[in-house]
Amino acid sequence: MRCWYEGPLAAFDTETTGVDAETDRIVSAAVVVQDSPGTRPRVSRWLVNPGVPVPAAAAEAHGLTDEHLQRNGRWPAPVMYEVAEALAEQAGVGRPLVVMNAPFDLTLLDRELRRHRAAPLSRWFERTPLLVLDPQVLDRHLDRYRKGGRTLTDLCALYGVPAQDAPGAEAGAAAALEVTRAVGRRFASRLERLSPGELHMLQAVWHAGQARGLTSWFARSGSEEAVDPAWPLRPGLPTAA
């Protein structure tokens, strides 16, 4: 029987107006589905006119300008519904979903759904839970004493994942999926006996510990910044911004 990292996986990524999951908006999203390593993935893509200005720094990072999004993007409400349906489809067939830094992308999607559909993301997973694999959490736990960055770019370089020849969010999702497979292979002796469901629960514990450690490190550095321990989704605020 194949280990989870050699079997079917899906991945989700977004591009946004900024880095605040509570107030920023999704401008593009992608879901990449791959049945086994090396096979051609199936890709769903969305381009969104967020209805708010895209800051210059964000547009420079992902190349999606106000003009381009107003001309080619769709309104957020139907897109957010379609994205949630696509993720629910993965959960329904038991396919794990790779999300790099899951608390950002999934929380952002949750807030967009509350904003435009008056419904939390959890509504789509009342019957079948979403099983998330977060390569950032996995790497931090399995190789905790390694120095250096742990962004997706850093992890691609470390695990030998080549640059993805795909636009925006699709490239991010595809890269995260390949990094997750690579993490599984490198740490097979510690991961191969764990099911995606067991890993999902363990990652919640690991992330909470990592968040406490980062918060303590910030405090020692003179910063009051706190890292939210919730994973893979931060609790909803009473009212989304």
PDB file of all heavy atoms in Angstrom, residues 109-122 233-240:
ATOM      1  N   LEU A 109      -9.671  32.688   3.131  1.00  0.00           N
ATOM      2  CA  LEU A 109     -10.840  32.178   2.414  1.00  0.00           C
ATOM      3  C   LEU A 109     -12.074  32.207   3.308  1.00  0.00           C
ATOM      4  O   LEU A 109     -13.174  32.575   2.864  1.00  0.00           O
ATOM      5  CB  LEU A 109     -10.569  30.759   1.919  1.00  0.00           C
ATOM      6  CG  LEU A 109     -11.732  30.052   1.228  1.00  0.00           C
ATOM      7  CD1 LEU A 109     -12.221  30.834   0.011  1.00  0.00           C
ATOM      8  CD2 LEU A 109     -11.332  28.628   0.837  1.00  0.00           C
ATOM      9  N   ASP A 110     -11.906  31.816   4.569  1.00  0.00           N
ATOM     10  CA  ASP A 110     -13.028  31.855   5.510  1.00  0.00           C
ATOM     11  C   ASP A 110     -13.590  33.267   5.630  1.00  0.00           C
ATOM     12  O   ASP A 110     -14.810  33.462   5.600  1.00  0.00           O
ATOM     13  CB  ASP A 110     -12.554  31.366   6.882  1.00  0.00           C
ATOM     14  CG  ASP A 110     -13.623  31.496   7.948  1.00  0.00           C
ATOM     15  OD1 ASP A 110     -14.525  30.632   8.000  1.00  0.00           O
ATOM     16  OD2 ASP A 110     -13.572  32.473   8.727  1.00  0.00           O
ATOM     17  N   ARG A 111     -12.720  34.258   5.760  1.00  0.00           N
ATOM     18  CA  ARG A 111     -13.190  35.639   5.903  1.00  0.00           C
ATOM     19  C   ARG A 111     -13.860  36.140   4.632  1.00  0.00           C
ATOM     20  O   ARG A 111     -14.839  36.891   4.685  1.00  0.00           O
ATOM     21  CB  ARG A 111     -12.025  36.568   6.280  1.00  0.00           C
ATOM     22  CG  ARG A 111     -11.263  36.205   7.559  1.00  0.00           C
ATOM     23  CD  ARG A 111     -12.141  35.809   8.744  1.00  0.00           C
ATOM     24  NE  ARG A 111     -11.347  35.707   9.959  1.00  0.00           N
ATOM     25  CZ  ARG A 111     -11.114  34.590  10.617  1.00  0.00           C
ATOM     26  NH1 ARG A 111     -11.626  33.422  10.188  1.00  0.00           N
ATOM     27  NH2 ARG A 111     -10.394  34.600  11.729  1.00  0.00           N
ATOM     28  N   GLU A 112     -13.355  35.715   3.483  1.00  0.00           N
ATOM     29  CA  GLU A 112     -13.991  36.098   2.222  1.00  0.00           C
ATOM     30  C   GLU A 112     -15.380  35.473   2.103  1.00  0.00           C
ATOM     31  O   GLU A 112     -16.330  36.114   1.634  1.00  0.00           O
ATOM     32  CB  GLU A 112     -13.112  35.667   1.043  1.00  0.00           C
ATOM     33  CG  GLU A 112     -11.842  36.471   0.852  1.00  0.00           C
ATOM     34  CD  GLU A 112     -12.073  37.766   0.099  1.00  0.00           C
ATOM     35  OE1 GLU A 112     -12.962  38.555   0.504  1.00  0.00           O
ATOM     36  OE2 GLU A 112     -11.371  37.995  -0.900  1.00  0.00           O
ATOM     37  N   LEU A 113     -15.517  34.230   2.530  1.00  0.00           N
ATOM     38  CA  LEU A 113     -16.830  33.580   2.500  1.00  0.00           C
ATOM     39  C   LEU A 113     -17.802  34.267   3.454  1.00  0.00           C
ATOM     40  O   LEU A 113     -18.982  34.459   3.124  1.00  0.00           O
ATOM     41  CB  LEU A 113     -16.686  32.104   2.866  1.00  0.00           C
ATOM     42  CG  LEU A 113     -16.066  31.211   1.793  1.00  0.00           C
ATOM     43  CD1 LEU A 113     -15.627  29.880   2.388  1.00  0.00           C
ATOM     44  CD2 LEU A 113     -17.050  30.985   0.643  1.00  0.00           C
ATOM     45  N   ARG A 114     -17.342  34.633   4.608  1.00  0.00           N
ATOM     46  CA  ARG A 114     -18.201  35.364   5.543  1.00  0.00           C
ATOM     47  C   ARG A 114     -18.593  36.722   4.978  1.00  0.00           C
ATOM     48  O   ARG A 114     -19.730  37.179   5.147  1.00  0.00           O
ATOM     49  CB  ARG A 114     -17.469  35.550   6.881  1.00  0.00           C
ATOM     50  CG  ARG A 114     -17.235  34.254   7.658  1.00  0.00           C
ATOM     51  CD  ARG A 114     -16.282  34.501   8.833  1.00  0.00           C
ATOM     52  NE  ARG A 114     -15.935  33.270   9.521  1.00  0.00           N
ATOM     53  CZ  ARG A 114     -16.539  32.810  10.612  1.00  0.00           C
ATOM     54  NH1 ARG A 114     -17.542  33.485  11.150  1.00  0.00           N
ATOM     55  NH2 ARG A 114     -16.154  31.693  11.184  1.00  0.00           N
ATOM     56  N   ARG A 115     -17.652  37.355   4.305  1.00  0.00           N
ATOM     57  CA  ARG A 115     -17.871  38.690   3.768  1.00  0.00           C
ATOM     58  C   ARG A 115     -18.850  38.663   2.595  1.00  0.00           C
ATOM     59  O   ARG A 115     -19.731  39.524   2.491  1.00  0.00           O
ATOM     60  CB  ARG A 115     -16.517  39.258   3.318  1.00  0.00           C
ATOM     61  CG  ARG A 115     -16.520  40.677   2.819  1.00  0.00           C
ATOM     62  CD  ARG A 115     -15.100  41.095   2.461  1.00  0.00           C
ATOM     63  NE  ARG A 115     -14.242  41.169   3.641  1.00  0.00           N
ATOM     64  CZ  ARG A 115     -13.115  40.458   3.812  1.00  0.00           C
ATOM     65  NH1 ARG A 115     -12.721  39.607   2.893  1.00  0.00           N
ATOM     66  NH2 ARG A 115     -12.405  40.599   4.920  1.00  0.00           N
ATOM     67  N   HIS A 116     -18.696  37.688   1.706  1.00  0.00           N
ATOM     68  CA  HIS A 116     -19.452  37.689   0.456  1.00  0.00           C
ATOM     69  C   HIS A 116     -20.568  36.656   0.382  1.00  0.00           C
ATOM     70  O   HIS A 116     -21.466  36.784  -0.458  1.00  0.00           O
ATOM     71  CB  HIS A 116     -18.502  37.477  -0.730  1.00  0.00           C
ATOM     72  CG  HIS A 116     -17.482  38.554  -0.892  1.00  0.00           C
ATOM     73  ND1 HIS A 116     -17.810  39.837  -1.296  1.00  0.00           N
ATOM     74  CD2 HIS A 116     -16.138  38.559  -0.682  1.00  0.00           C
ATOM     75  CE1 HIS A 116     -16.710  40.581  -1.351  1.00  0.00           C
ATOM     76  NE2 HIS A 116     -15.692  39.836  -0.983  1.00  0.00           N
ATOM     77  N   ARG A 117     -20.512  35.636   1.263  1.00  0.00           N
ATOM     78  CA  ARG A 117     -21.533  34.585   1.236  1.00  0.00           C
ATOM     79  C   ARG A 117     -22.237  34.423   2.572  1.00  0.00           C
ATOM     80  O   ARG A 117     -23.123  33.578   2.711  1.00  0.00           O
ATOM     81  CB  ARG A 117     -20.897  33.236   0.856  1.00  0.00           C
ATOM     82  CG  ARG A 117     -20.121  33.204  -0.432  1.00  0.00           C
ATOM     83  CD  ARG A 117     -20.937  33.362  -1.682  1.00  0.00           C
ATOM     84  NE  ARG A 117     -22.011  32.399  -1.782  1.00  0.00           N
ATOM     85  CZ  ARG A 117     -22.712  32.183  -2.908  1.00  0.00           C
ATOM     86  NH1 ARG A 117     -22.419  32.864  -4.007  1.00  0.00           N
ATOM     87  NH2 ARG A 117     -23.693  31.327  -2.939  1.00  0.00           N
ATOM     88  N   ALA A 118     -21.836  35.196   3.566  1.00  0.00           N
ATOM     89  CA  ALA A 118     -22.419  35.123   4.920  1.00  0.00           C
ATOM     90  C   ALA A 118     -22.380  33.701   5.465  1.00  0.00           C
ATOM     91  O   ALA A 118     -23.312  33.229   6.126  1.00  0.00           O
ATOM     92  CB  ALA A 118     -23.849  35.642   4.911  1.00  0.00           C
ATOM     93  N   ALA A 119     -21.270  32.999   5.185  1.00  0.00           N
ATOM     94  CA  ALA A 119     -21.124  31.612   5.639  1.00  0.00           C
ATOM     95  C   ALA A 119     -19.657  31.332   5.916  1.00  0.00           C
ATOM     96  O   ALA A 119     -18.796  31.723   5.131  1.00  0.00           O
ATOM     97  CB  ALA A 119     -21.643  30.647   4.583  1.00  0.00           C
ATOM     98  N   PRO A 120     -19.335  30.634   7.013  1.00  0.00           N
ATOM     99  CA  PRO A 120     -17.944  30.289   7.299  1.00  0.00           C
ATOM    100  C   PRO A 120     -17.487  29.103   6.450  1.00  0.00           C
ATOM    101  O   PRO A 120     -18.302  28.308   5.964  1.00  0.00           O
ATOM    102  CB  PRO A 120     -17.975  29.919   8.778  1.00  0.00           C
ATOM    103  CG  PRO A 120     -19.345  29.358   8.971  1.00  0.00           C
ATOM    104  CD  PRO A 120     -20.245  30.182   8.084  1.00  0.00           C
ATOM    105  N   LEU A 121     -16.191  28.978   6.290  1.00  0.00           N
ATOM    106  CA  LEU A 121     -15.634  27.857   5.535  1.00  0.00           C
ATOM    107  C   LEU A 121     -16.040  26.523   6.142  1.00  0.00           C
ATOM    108  O   LEU A 121     -16.237  25.533   5.425  1.00  0.00           O
ATOM    109  CB  LEU A 121     -14.107  27.980   5.498  1.00  0.00           C
ATOM    110  CG  LEU A 121     -13.328  26.894   4.759  1.00  0.00           C
ATOM    111  CD1 LEU A 121     -13.742  26.817   3.296  1.00  0.00           C
ATOM    112  CD2 LEU A 121     -11.827  27.151   4.883  1.00  0.00           C
ATOM    113  N   SER A 122     -16.181  26.467   7.449  1.00  0.00           N
ATOM    114  CA  SER A 122     -16.524  25.208   8.118  1.00  0.00           C
ATOM    115  C   SER A 122     -17.846  24.628   7.632  1.00  0.00           C
ATOM    116  O   SER A 122     -18.070  23.416   7.758  1.00  0.00           O
ATOM    117  CB  SER A 122     -16.579  25.425   9.634  1.00  0.00           C
ATOM    118  OG  SER A 122     -17.552  26.405   9.967  1.00  0.00           O
ATOM    119  N   LEU A 233      -6.961  26.732  10.728  1.00  0.00           N
ATOM    120  CA  LEU A 233      -7.850  27.876  10.514  1.00  0.00           C
ATOM    121  C   LEU A 233      -8.006  28.641  11.816  1.00  0.00           C
ATOM    122  O   LEU A 233      -8.244  28.042  12.866  1.00  0.00           O
ATOM    123  CB  LEU A 233      -9.234  27.378  10.036  1.00  0.00           C
ATOM    124  CG  LEU A 233     -10.343  28.390   9.823  1.00  0.00           C
ATOM    125  CD1 LEU A 233     -10.008  29.316   8.661  1.00  0.00           C
ATOM    126  CD2 LEU A 233     -11.666  27.669   9.555  1.00  0.00           C
ATOM    127  N   ARG A 234      -7.833  29.944  11.758  1.00  0.00           N
ATOM    128  CA  ARG A 234      -7.991  30.774  12.952  1.00  0.00           C
ATOM    129  C   ARG A 234      -9.480  30.987  13.252  1.00  0.00           C
ATOM    130  O   ARG A 234     -10.275  31.106  12.318  1.00  0.00           O
ATOM    131  CB  ARG A 234      -7.297  32.116  12.759  1.00  0.00           C
ATOM    132  CG  ARG A 234      -5.789  31.987  12.560  1.00  0.00           C
ATOM    133  CD  ARG A 234      -5.175  33.285  12.101  1.00  0.00           C
ATOM    134  NE  ARG A 234      -3.799  33.053  11.652  1.00  0.00           N
ATOM    135  CZ  ARG A 234      -3.165  33.853  10.816  1.00  0.00           C
ATOM    136  NH1 ARG A 234      -3.758  34.933  10.327  1.00  0.00           N
ATOM    137  NH2 ARG A 234      -1.916  33.577  10.461  1.00  0.00           N
ATOM    138  N   PRO A 235      -9.845  31.037  14.515  1.00  0.00           N
ATOM    139  CA  PRO A 235     -11.256  31.245  14.858  1.00  0.00           C
ATOM    140  C   PRO A 235     -11.787  32.520  14.211  1.00  0.00           C
ATOM    141  O   PRO A 235     -11.075  33.520  14.080  1.00  0.00           O
ATOM    142  CB  PRO A 235     -11.238  31.357  16.384  1.00  0.00           C
ATOM    143  CG  PRO A 235      -9.983  30.671  16.799  1.00  0.00           C
ATOM    144  CD  PRO A 235      -8.989  30.919  15.703  1.00  0.00           C
ATOM    145  N   GLY A 236     -13.056  32.494  13.852  1.00  0.00           N
ATOM    146  CA  GLY A 236     -13.669  33.648  13.217  1.00  0.00           C
ATOM    147  C   GLY A 236     -13.911  34.771  14.189  1.00  0.00           C
ATOM    148  O   GLY A 236     -14.241  34.547  15.363  1.00  0.00           O
ATOM    149  N   LEU A 237     -13.741  35.985  13.723  1.00  0.00           N
ATOM    150  CA  LEU A 237     -14.078  37.153  14.526  1.00  0.00           C
ATOM    151  C   LEU A 237     -15.596  37.345  14.518  1.00  0.00           C
ATOM    152  O   LEU A 237     -16.282  36.846  13.629  1.00  0.00           O
ATOM    153  CB  LEU A 237     -13.388  38.404  13.953  1.00  0.00           C
ATOM    154  CG  LEU A 237     -11.853  38.377  13.963  1.00  0.00           C
ATOM    155  CD1 LEU A 237     -11.317  39.636  13.295  1.00  0.00           C
ATOM    156  CD2 LEU A 237     -11.319  38.251  15.361  1.00  0.00           C
ATOM    157  N   PRO A 238     -16.145  38.071  15.482  1.00  0.00           N
ATOM    158  CA  PRO A 238     -17.594  38.313  15.501  1.00  0.00           C
ATOM    159  C   PRO A 238     -18.098  38.899  14.191  1.00  0.00           C
ATOM    160  O   PRO A 238     -19.155  38.550  13.714  1.00  0.00           O
ATOM    161  CB  PRO A 238     -17.775  39.279  16.662  1.00  0.00           C
ATOM    162  CG  PRO A 238     -16.620  38.993  17.573  1.00  0.00           C
ATOM    163  CD  PRO A 238     -15.480  38.647  16.668  1.00  0.00           C
ATOM    164  N   THR A 239     -17.300  39.793  13.591  1.00  0.00           N
ATOM    165  CA  THR A 239     -17.680  40.407  12.323  1.00  0.00           C
ATOM    166  C   THR A 239     -16.452  40.505  11.450  1.00  0.00           C
ATOM    167  O   THR A 239     -15.457  41.086  11.868  1.00  0.00           O
ATOM    168  CB  THR A 239     -18.269  41.815  12.534  1.00  0.00           C
ATOM    169  OG1 THR A 239     -19.386  41.729  13.402  1.00  0.00           O
ATOM    170  CG2 THR A 239     -18.706  42.399  11.186  1.00  0.00           C
ATOM    171  N   ALA A 240     -16.524  39.954  10.247  1.00  0.00           N
ATOM    172  CA  ALA A 240     -15.397  40.054   9.326  1.00  0.00           C
ATOM    173  C   ALA A 240     -15.274  41.480   8.838  1.00  0.00           C
ATOM    174  O   ALA A 240     -16.253  42.164   8.631  1.00  0.00           O
ATOM    175  CB  ALA A 240     -15.576  39.094   8.140  1.00  0.00           C
TER     176      ALA A 240
END
